[in-house]
Structures are given as C-alpha cells and as structure tokens.
Amino acid sequence: MASVIVEIVGGKICEMAIETAVHKVAEEAKLVLNFRKDLLWLNKKLTFIRGFLQDADQQSRHKEAVKKWLESIRDIVMGAEDIFEECAVEPQGPHISVTGFFDAESRRTYFSWWIFRYRMGRKIKDVKERIRSNIEDGKQLNLYRQVLSADEALPSTSQIAAVDLKRSYLLPSDSHPVGIESKVDDILNLLNNPAFPVIAVVGMGGMGKTYLLQNVYNKAKERYEKCIWLSVSQSYSISMLQKDLVFQLDRDLSEQIKNSGISDQALAQLIREKLQERRSCLVVLDDVWRAVREEDFFTKLGLPSGNVNSQCKIVVTTRSKVVSTNLNAHMYEMKLMSDEESWRLFCVYAFGGFEENIEPQQQLLKEVGRKIVKQCGNLPLAVKTIAASLANKILDKWELKLRQLEQVIISVGDNDDNIMGILKLSYDSLPARLKACFAYLSLFPEDEQIDPEYLVNLWIGEGFIPAGENQLDVAWDSLHQLVNLCLLEMSEDSDLNFLYSHYDLTKHCKIHDLLLDLAIHISKENKCALSVEEASTNTSDGDGTAWCRVLLAKKDVDDNAISETHPLCLRTFSLSQNMEITSIPEKLFMAMRGLRVLDLSFTNISTLPASVGKMKLLKVLNFRQTPIEEVPKCVRHLKSLLFLALNDSCTTLPAWISELRYLQHLECERVRRIPKGISKLGSLRTLRTWPLQLSNSIQEGEELMRLEDLGNMTKLQELWLVIQNEMELKTMGILANLVKMRRLVVESRILEVGSEIDLPHIPENMRAMKHLESLRLEKFAVPSWTCDLANLRELQLLECECSDYPELQRLPNLVLLFLWRNGRCRELPKAFGKSGGFPRLRFFKIQYFDELEEFPELEEGAMACLEKLVIARCYKVERSRIEVQIKAHNPYINIHFV
C-alpha cells in the first residue's frame, strides 16, 4: 500500500515537475516568439513615459517621495533606451534556406541571432515588470496626481516661444554692454598710474568682473606692446599657467620648451627675461581664489611683483579682499548696478533693446519687469538670465516668474546660495532636453574653453538629442538656446596679428562659474558622479538604486586610480588632459556595455584594450593628442559610432572604416590615403583632413577615393580639397551635389604662378551650395556668385589674383574677410566703402598686396561692426593717411600695420 502511495505521489511530483518545466520552456519561448510585439509595446509605453517625465520636469518643487519615484522611472527609461539602441545596432534576422542550414557559418549566424532575441526578450520582460511595479507604486502613493495637477506648472516645450536659432548667425555674448563704460574708464586710468603696478578688481560672483576686464583688455591692446590673459580659477597649476603665459608671450619659445622638461623655476626666469624685452605689457589674471602672497604667486609665475618701475602691469579679478591684500594690489571694488542700469540691462535681454525700443503691445510688461529687476538685487548675472528666460513670453508668465522670485530669498547680499536660487528659476523653466544639455556642462572644468562642435556631438552621443535627419541641427539649436538664455557664453574671434597664410573664426563656449556650480549641483542631485573616486565608491545611494549616469570629469588621476574604478552604469568616460595616464586595464571596459562617450584625448595612452570593441552603444570616441599611431582594430566593431577623432600620427585609414555605417564626423587631420569605401558612409557630414588629396591610382592593391566618389556623399558639410590636375578640374562640377556643404576649402595645384587670365574657374553649378558659412579659395578665379551666399560668415581668397573683386560688400552675414597675395590689385573696389556695405564684418586682413596703394573711402554706415583691420606687407600703402582716414570714420577700430 505504502509503495502504491509513494508511486502515486512520486508520479504526481514528476508530472508537476514536467508541467512546470514545460510551462517554463513555453514562457522562455515567448520571449523569442513575442520579441517584436513586446518591442512595439515597449516603444509605445516609452513614448508615454517620456512625455510624462517632460511634464514632471516642468515642476520646480517636488516632495522627496516624488523625486525618488521620478528617479526610478528615469532609470527604467535609460534601460529601455539601451535595449532599442542594441536592437538598432544588431543586424536583421537571417533568411536561411534549407540548403543553407547545412552550412556551418549560416547556422552559427542563425542561432546567434535567436540568442540575441532571447537575451533582449529577457531585458524587455524585466523592464515591463519594473514599469508595472512603478505605476502601481505611483497609484498607491498618489504621486500621479501630485505631479500632473500642480497649480503652478511651467509651460511645456510646445508653448515656449521660438527664438532665432540659425546656425549661420549668432550675436557675440554680451554684445550690448550696459553699466560698464565708467568702470572701464576707471580701470584704464588706474593702469596709467605708475604708482599701481598691480590692480585687483574685487566683487562677488555674478557682478561681471570678467566681462569688465574683457572690455578693458580690448581697449588696452592699443596701449601695450603685448597683452596676456590667463584664467586662473580654483584648481590652478603654476606649471600650466606658465605654459599658457609663454604661448601668448612668444610662440617660438613655447615650441622650444614644449617637450624640454624645463623646471618651473627655470621657466619663470625665462618669462622674466622675455617680459623685460617688451616695452610694455599687460597681464590679466582672471578669477584668482587662493589668498597666496605675491612672492608665492607672481614670483613663481615669472611676473614682476610690486615694482613701480616695471613696464609690466598686472590686473587680477577675485571675489576675495584677502587675495587683493596678499598680492599687495590696489583694490578696485565693484559695486552693484544701479536700479536704472539694471533695468536697461533687463530690457536688452527681455525686449531685445533699450526701453525706448519697447513695442506698444509690450508696455504692460514694464511694471512687472521693474518689480522682477528689484527681486534680482541689481546683480547683472541674475538680471540677464531671468530677463532672457522671459523674452517673448506673455504677461501671465512674467507674473508667475515674479511670484517665484518672491519665494526665493530676496536679499542677494554676499550669499551665493541666494543667487543660486535665482539662477535655478531659469533652469526650471527649460524643457527636458535643454535641462539635460545644461547639466552635462558639469563635465567641464572651471574656465574651460569648450569647443562647441565637440559639445553638440557629446550631447548627441549621450542621447539628449532625438535621432533623425536633422539631429545635428537640433543639437546646434539647443546650444544656441542655452546661449540666448544666458546659461552659456559663446564667442568667436580670429587671430589676425600673425603672419600665417590662413585664418579661421574660432568659436568657443564658456560657462560662468556660478552657473557651473548650478550644473554640478543638478548633476549630483540626479546621482551623477563627477570624479573617479565617486564612481568607485558610490555606485548606489544606500537603498540599492544604481546611479542613473556617471560622468567622470577631468581630474588629476593616474593609472592606479583608473584600475580601481568599477562603474556599472557609465555613459560618459572622460580622462582628457590627464597626462599621467599611460594605459587602461582590459577588464575596465568589460562592465561598460552602456558607454556612449569615451574621451581619451591629451593622455599618454598608447593602445586601446580589445574590450573597447564590445561597447556596441559607443557613439563618441576621441583620442586626439595621444601616442596612438594607427586606428585600433577594435574600433571596427563599434557599429554605433557617430564621432571619431584620431591622433595626428594616424596617417592612413583602414579599408574597414567603411563598415562604420552611422559615422557622421571623422577627424583625421594627417591622413593622406583615403580608401574608396569611405564614400559608402552615407551619414558622413564632416571629413576633416588638411588637405584631402585624392588619387586615381591603386596602391598596394587598395583602391583610393577619387574626386567623383565625393559626389555620392550628399550629406557632407565640411571638406578641404586639393585640385591637382586638369582632369580633376573638369570633374569638379560633381561637388554641386553637396548642397548641404557649410565649410569648403579648395586649393589649386595646377599652376605654380597664376594670373588673372589663366586662373582656373570654379564650376558655375557649385552655386547650389547655398548653405556655405565658410569658403576658402586658393589660386582660383573668384566666382561671381560668391556675393549671393547669404549665410557666408568667413571668406578667404588666397592668391586669387585679379584687378577687381565681385560685390562682396553685399554679403549680409560676413564676419571675416581675408585677402592674401595679389600682385595686380592697385586699389580695393570703391563699393567696399559704400554705406550699408559689409554690415557685420568684424575682422578684415589684407596681406602681400604689392601694388596696393588705396583703401576705399568709408561712407557713413560702411563696415559698421568692424573691430580689427590688419594691413600686412603692403609696402606702397601710405600708413598714416589711411590710419587717419579710418579713425575719422570709426575711432574704435583696431588698426595694425605689419
């Protein structure tokens, strides 16, 4: 009997086990069979969640429970995004035939694809469970209602008024100075006083000390033989400051000591000797924090200290009066703006002009605006950011902002926390995309000059910018929005004082240190680590929640610190400018499967671990200025890569580079052999080689790219090309297909010495490049359609010998004009001086015009924005007469004769 019972029970258990196993297998099989259906469900749900988070992000105040709940939802979204990106990278499922099934390679591909679907299916299942769990938590805690029914919700993205976001034109930061004219005169007068060899401009953060000194610096350039600007900041290095100082003082000396291993003491002595050779010199030390003695600071740098007979003047900006005292400086204490000055500054950024320019329909805003200005405590940075956030908004939004300001601590005083509360109001009104872009700025060190082109590619790599045909334009628009909202500074300049054969408009971005503090605070609030130490010790916040994203900012780290780092959720990994790092352990990248950005630039890393090739989601890889001499083979497996910057020592590109099908930006400055397959990269926008020499030959069995291959790369926006023979000149018309081109450099090597008659001509059909912003031609006839390029901002004509030029003064957005080497032009066209001509020209240089005698008479309103004019190696020009003529037209133009 017992045996029968055992048999029955055993049978039941066995049956249940089989049933459970079958059920388990069926459930697992569903993960594969329902993969596409589940993916579509997740995509639909993700769209809803993103919209929900965007609405939630508009709320400036949330309870702690709500914040934690929203953080968990953001974690889910990031996990889901990883799934979609992995699926996008993985090739579509194989179509295998019966006969093909017996092929080993086909079977391997087939099974690996099904394994991938199973693995993704499990991830989708996990995300679905987390979504349902969080929705249930939200309902139980009534968090939906708390988020969506807030009575002071800020406008959604769709409601925010559009701003002019053209890439082709952006006003320089602070192009409308208010309330600084008298302060500039004060500093200039102090500089003229020999009793004050060192001057310290002292004031709290956000008062505009740096902006004031920038204006002083620009005006002082005419008075001093040499002007030097050094950004010091909190974590300065004497060695780095010395190198920057030498670079600005003497570039030849800078090259000599570049890798010499010279000591700081010896370099300080060299700097002192070089400064003594100058008749006069101005050195600005911006943003000094540490209260060090002058002998510990100036002497170590190589600057004279306290010598009234010195030809070198030093100006320091600082928040601390103690710094001024310790440096034995004459203190100039900045005062807050007056009520009227604050109002004028507010009008500039809120209305786009001064009070007299306010439109009649905007009069109702004036009363509220004056109350808002009062709440900002007359602090320039607070006034600017609040005013910019209200531009183009209706009265209700102004009144809402006023109520919010009243809830912030009113008195600005000396407390940066109060200022931070005001600045955060501007951040709170941003849409979710711009919030992420702003917080990402915390990655950069204080006073860093940020390359805007690299920055927008970082945003794209991180996933802040939605994918699409116009993704890059949206990224630039995001940058310009932050600039227009005064949350980021953007400027451009051109060094026209040096005798080089070409010049570029150099753009850079910079974030004010108070706004950087805000970005860092926001990043930490969103659980983003900012150093290697934080990443290795704080991968969770104590309750088991993983960090959403870990940002490793530029810190002084070495190989040991890197080897101890074990981040789990890393999206951006930046080791840039850490020269002590020579290698990266192989195991480090094994856990970084979700990495989007890897920046190894300016390090001593000579090889990339093979594990880098496992990071399928990597979009940005930068190893500029490293010892890596060729493109590492592991890069071949990075199928998601959008941005690749190689070191200068990489002189060849492998044929497999064409397999990186999503690549948009390829920076390979020294590469001379371009494989033909690169023309298959249909997404490529930037092919940055200087210059690109094409070939019609086959070398070592590898076919190289030819001129006609460029015609297929219709999304290309930047190109530097050399035309070497008549055959290429005839084929050049194919470039008309590149209608999205923004920056084009074309050099002719057909003639050694050109003349107006036999200079080669640019094909007429290339006028289709209507989006050109920068054009440089060398040894070509100047095409007549140049003056029709409405977006052109930079024009360089080198050895384009002609007796006259087309009507270039008609170009509405031209900022830089450079004319180099023309042996037949006796006088520039009189039309250049017409009223209204060159309306935005800021930099104009003429060099090696052997026959030039006359500069055009300038009518009233001609070249109205001109800042700098350089006339170099034009030996027949009568310097004094032209100088008097131009100064009579505009006394503020900086004129340099070389």
Side-chain angles (χ1 to χ4, degrees):
M1 183 67 179
S3 63
V4 174
I5 293 174
V6 170
E7 187 178 341
I8 293 172
V9 172
K12 285 289 184 184
I13 292 174
C14 210
E15 185 181 332
M16 289 170 62
I18 292 172
E19 186 177 338
T20 302
V22 170
H23 178 73
K24 182 70 174 175
V25 170
E27 287 296 316
E28 296 297 303
K30 283 182 181 179
L31 296 177
V32 177
L33 297 174
N34 295 338
F35 170 74
R36 191 171 297 278
K37 179 182 175 182
D38 289 343
L39 199 62
L40 291 172
W41 178 91
L42 184 59
N43 184 43
K44 183 178 179 181
K45 189 65 68 175
L46 194 59
T47 302
F48 167 76
I49 293 175
R50 283 196 186 112
F52 170 76
L53 284 175
Q54 186 165 312
D55 288 335
D57 279 335
Q58 300 299 324
Q59 313 306 319
S60 59
R61 295 177 300 282
H62 284 317
K63 294 180 180 178
E64 197 60 35
V66 178
K67 286 184 178 180
K68 283 191 171 293
W69 181 62
L70 290 173
E71 285 171 4
S72 65
I73 294 178
R74 289 190 184 96
D75 284 340
I76 294 171
V77 169
M78 296 186 76
E81 287 173 346
D82 287 350
I83 292 173
F84 282 109
E85 293 200 24
E86 281 197 62
C87 291
V89 175
E90 196 70 20
Q92 296 297 315
H95 298 283
I96 190 165
S97 63
V98 175
T99 54
F101 190 78
F102 294 99
D103 177 64
E105 184 61 33
S106 296
R107 289 200 307 274
R108 189 159 40 249
T109 303
Y110 186 74
F111 286 123
S112 64
W113 182 72
W114 281 99
I115 290 170
F116 170 78
R117 289 186 69 153
Y118 173 72
R119 185 163 56 86
M120 289 295 102
R122 289 194 65 84
K123 288 187 176 183
I124 293 173
K125 180 183 177 183
D126 177 61
V127 170
K128 288 172 72 173
E129 290 173 354
R130 291 176 64 193
I131 289 174
R132 291 184 180 117
S133 174
N134 274 269
I135 289 175
E136 202 57 43
D137 290 344
K139 287 178 179 178
Q140 291 178 8
L141 296 173
N142 201 28
L143 296 178
Y144 269 121
R145 188 175 300 277
Q146 289 186 46
V147 172
L148 296 178
S149 64
D151 58 352
E152 290 186 356
L154 292 168
S156 65
T157 313
S158 60
Q159 293 173 303
I160 293 179
V163 189
D164 182 16
L165 301 173
K166 294 179 182 177
R167 280 185 57 187
S168 59
Y169 178 62
L170 188 71
L171 277 173
S173 296
D174 290 315
S175 56
H176 303 288
V178 176
I180 68 160
E181 295 86 352
S182 62
K183 297 182 178 70
V184 170
D185 291 338
D186 289 343
I187 304 297
L188 290 174
N189 290 334
L190 290 174
L191 287 172
N192 289 333
N193 192 330
F196 304 135
V198 182
I199 301 165
V201 179
V202 182
M204 63 185 295
M207 289 190 68
K209 300 184 295 295
T210 299
Y211 180 50
L212 168 64
L213 260 295
Q214 285 171 345
N215 282 268
V216 171
Y217 187 82
N218 289 334
K219 288 195 174 183
K221 284 181 178 179
E222 294 184 356
R223 306 186 183 188
Y224 293 89
E225 183 185 355
K226 194 68 182 177
C227 292
I228 296 169
W229 184 288
L230 299 176
S231 295
V232 181
S233 72
Q234 296 187 60
S235 55
Y236 70 84
S237 157
I238 288 290
S239 177
M240 292 303 294
L241 287 175
Q242 284 181 327
K243 290 175 182 176
D244 193 4
L245 197 160
V246 172
F247 179 77
Q248 296 183 56
L249 185 61
D250 188 326
R251 293 194 181 185
D252 290 336
L253 177 61
S254 178
E255 284 298 317
Q256 292 172 20
I257 67 170
K258 195 170 186 179
N259 299 308
S260 64
I262 187 171
S263 68
D264 292 351
Q265 293 81 2
L267 187 53
Q269 181 59 34
L270 272 177
I271 291 171
R272 274 189 287 272
E273 293 171 1
K274 284 292 179 182
L275 287 174
Q276 288 171 2
E277 294 173 4
R278 301 285 181 176
R279 295 190 304 273
S280 61
C281 185
L282 173 66
V283 179
V284 176
L285 300 170
D286 186 37
D287 201 17
V288 179
W289 284 73
R290 301 183 199 171
V292 292
R293 297 172 300 172
E294 57 180 333
E295 59 265 28
D296 292 333
F297 189 52
F298 293 154
T299 306
K300 287 181 179 179
L301 279 176
L303 299 176
S305 55
N307 185 357
V308 295
N309 297 318
S310 172
Q311 65 274 35
C312 180
K313 286 278 191 175
I314 302 172
V315 184
V316 174
T317 69
T318 179
R319 298 186 193 182
S320 171
K321 294 181 181 179
V322 178
V323 169
S324 175
T325 303
N326 284 13
L327 294 179
N328 196 25
H330 174 79
M331 184 170 65
Y332 178 84
E333 190 171 0
M334 282 193 73
K335 304 295 183 184
L336 289 169
M337 299 179 79
S338 67
D339 291 344
E340 194 54 37
E341 287 173 337
S342 296
W343 172 242
R344 284 174 65 80
L345 183 65
F346 181 89
C347 289
V348 166
Y349 288 92
F351 301 111
F354 297 123
E355 184 173 10
E356 52 268 25
N357 304 120
I358 296 176
E359 300 290 336
Q361 62 269 28
Q362 295 176 319
Q363 294 297 323
L364 293 174
L365 301 175
K366 287 175 58 177
E367 183 179 348
V368 180
R370 285 192 176 273
K371 293 179 181 178
I372 288 173
V373 169
K374 186 176 181 181
Q375 299 301 326
C376 291
N378 291 340
L379 188 72
L381 182 63
V383 172
K384 282 166 48 179
T385 53
I386 292 296
S389 70
L390 291 171
N392 300 321
K393 300 292 182 9
I394 61 176
L395 180 61
D396 288 350
K397 306 305 177 187
W398 286 52
E399 292 173 341
L400 170 60
K401 187 70 73 176
L402 178 59
R403 292 197 299 272
Q404 292 172 334
L405 280 167
E406 289 171 346
Q407 293 175 23
V408 176
I409 301 175
I410 305 303
S411 174
V412 174
D414 290 326
N415 189 345
D416 284 352
D417 290 339
N418 302 335
I419 306 168
M420 203 66 70
I422 296 173
L423 298 179
K424 193 171 185 301
L425 289 178
S426 296
Y427 167 81
D428 287 334
S429 63
L430 297 176
R433 168 169 51 87
L434 290 186
K435 282 185 175 180
C437 291
F438 175 78
Y440 198 77
L441 296 171
S442 63
L443 178 70
F444 297 94
E446 187 179 356
D447 293 324
E448 174 91 346
Q449 288 194 350
I450 307 168
D451 178 1
E453 183 176 51
Y454 187 44
L455 179 60
V456 297
N457 278 284
L458 290 175
W459 287 343
I460 290 172
E462 265 281 354
F464 300 150
I465 310 299
E469 181 68 23
N470 63 341
Q471 187 181 43
L472 192 59
D473 289 330
V474 173
W476 277 100
D477 288 349
S478 300
L479 177 75
H480 290 173
Q481 284 193 55
L482 290 178
V483 172
N484 290 334
L485 291 168
C486 298
L487 297 175
L488 184 65
E489 301 170 15
M490 184 172 177
S491 59
E492 61 184 1
D493 204 346
S494 183
D495 188 357
L496 295 180
N497 294 323
F498 295 91
L499 294 176
Y500 298 140
S501 61
H502 70 277
Y503 301 89
D504 294 318
L505 279 176
T506 55
K507 291 184 180 181
H508 67 265
C509 297
K510 188 177 178 182
I511 182 170
H512 191 281
D513 51 4
L514 286 179
L515 288 166
L516 178 60
D517 290 343
L518 176 61
I520 291 172
H521 171 75
I522 291 164
S523 292
K524 288 186 175 180
E525 195 175 55
N526 291 332
K527 301 187 302 181
C528 296
L530 295 175
S531 69
V532 169
E533 293 77 18
E534 288 176 317
S536 59
T537 60
N538 294 312
T539 54
S540 70
D541 60 5
D543 62 359
T545 304
W547 291 77
C548 293
R549 182 176 67 250
V550 183
L551 303 180
L552 296 184
K554 300 170 185 175
K555 301 288 182 180
D556 293 327
V557 296
D558 54 21
D559 293 351
N560 293 330
I562 294 300
S563 63
E564 296 170 2
T565 304
H566 301 288
L568 299 177
C569 304
L570 204 61
R571 291 281 182 116
T572 292
F573 189 32
S574 174
L575 298 175
S576 182
Q577 301 186 28
N578 286 284
M579 298 303 293
E580 297 298 317
I581 300 177
T582 58
S583 63
I584 300 179
E586 177 79 28
K587 65 178 182 179
L588 181 65
F589 292 119
M590 298 302 291
M592 294 187 186
R593 297 301 177 87
L595 197 69
R596 266 53 168 197
V597 175
L598 179 58
D599 188 347
L600 306 176
S601 60
F602 296 93
T603 65
N604 269 317
I605 297 170
S606 57
T607 58
L608 286 185
S611 55
V612 170
K614 301 291 184 180
M615 299 187 295
K616 291 186 176 182
L617 304 184
L618 194 68
K619 289 181 167 55
V620 176
L621 177 58
N622 181 2
F623 52 91
R624 295 187 192 110
Q625 299 298 316
T626 64
I628 300 176
E629 296 184 353
E630 59 181 22
V631 187
K633 293 180 180 179
C634 58
V635 175
R636 183 175 192 172
H637 305 293
L638 303 177
K639 304 302 184 184
S640 295
L641 209 59
L642 302 175
F643 180 102
L644 176 60
L646 309 180
N647 184 35
D648 289 352
S649 57
C650 293
T651 56
T652 59
L653 286 177
W656 52 255
I657 201 79
S658 61
E659 297 175 19
L660 305 179
R661 54 191 175 126
Y662 293 113
L663 200 62
Q664 295 182 7
H665 179 104
L666 178 57
E667 191 165 316
C668 45
E669 297 185 12
R670 304 299 178 188
V671 167
R672 290 295 174 264
R673 298 175 63 217
I674 305 291
K676 179 181 175 66
I678 205 170
S679 61
K680 298 176 183 177
L681 296 177
S683 299
L684 198 65
R685 287 172 168 79
T686 304
L687 178 57
R688 187 163 293 172
T689 60
W690 287 305
L692 173 61
Q693 297 182 8
L694 302 174
S695 173
N696 294 315
S697 63
I698 298 177
Q699 301 180 18
E700 298 176 7
E702 181 183 9
E703 190 173 1
L704 303 180
M705 184 160 65
R706 296 174 296 178
L707 182 61
E708 50 264 37
D709 297 323
L710 283 172
N712 301 324
M713 305 173 71
T714 55
K715 292 185 179 179
L716 211 57
Q717 296 182 3
E718 180 174 328
L719 184 65
W720 186 330
L721 185 64
V722 173
I723 301 298
Q724 302 180 85
N725 51 55
E726 293 287 348
M727 181 182 300
E728 289 186 350
L729 182 64
K730 291 178 182 178
T731 314
M732 194 175 163
I734 193 115
L735 297 180
N737 294 341
L738 312 183
V739 294
K740 295 186 178 181
M741 187 64 63
R742 293 183 183 272
R743 175 182 170 84
L744 178 64
V745 179
V746 187
E747 300 178 9
S748 170
R749 300 284 172 83
I750 300 175
L751 301 171
E752 286 300 320
V753 180
S755 69
E756 186 175 14
I757 298 174
D758 54 16
L759 278 175
H761 288 259
I762 299 288
E764 184 68 21
N765 64 348
M766 283 179 61
R767 65 167 60 241
M769 295 182 178
K770 296 180 180 179
H771 298 289
L772 274 175
E773 296 174 12
S774 176
L775 176 63
R776 175 185 167 190
L777 300 177
E778 183 171 340
K779 293 184 180 178
F780 276 98
V782 183
S784 59
W785 46 262
T786 304
C787 52
D788 296 326
L789 298 172
N791 293 319
L792 198 65
R793 310 190 69 246
E794 178 180 357
L795 178 61
Q796 302 182 46
L797 302 175
L798 283 67
E799 297 191 74
C800 299
E801 295 209 8
C802 55
S803 55
D804 201 352
Y805 290 92
E807 295 189 352
L808 302 179
Q809 75 279 356
R810 288 170 36 199
L811 292 168
N813 288 307
L814 194 68
V815 174
L816 181 146
L817 176 60
F818 178 37
L819 307 177
W820 189 79
R821 197 177 292 279
N822 188 330
R824 62 176 59 241
C825 181
R826 299 180 62 85
E827 61 178 355
L828 296 177
K830 290 182 171 56
F832 278 19
K834 281 186 178 180
S835 179
F838 294 114
R840 289 190 174 132
L841 189 68
R842 295 173 56 203
F843 310 105
F844 188 8
K845 180 165 184 178
I846 310 164
Q847 183 172 339
Y848 289 118
F849 273 50
D850 298 333
E851 299 300 320
L852 184 68
E853 298 177 1
E854 297 292 333
F855 192 85
E857 290 281 348
L858 299 180
E859 298 177 3
E860 186 68 29
M863 301 187 189
C865 296
L866 191 64
E867 297 175 10
K868 191 181 295 184
L869 172 65
V870 178
I871 300 178
R873 303 295 192 260
C874 301
Y875 300 107
K876 291 188 177 182
V877 167
E878 190 177 331
R879 172 176 175 170
S880 58
R881 181 170 58 82
I882 290 181
E883 191 168 14
V884 170
Q885 169 195 334
I886 294 172
K887 286 290 185 180
H889 172 73
N890 185 346
Y892 299 107
I893 296 176
N894 290 324
I895 307 175
H896 299 272
F897 290 90
V898 183

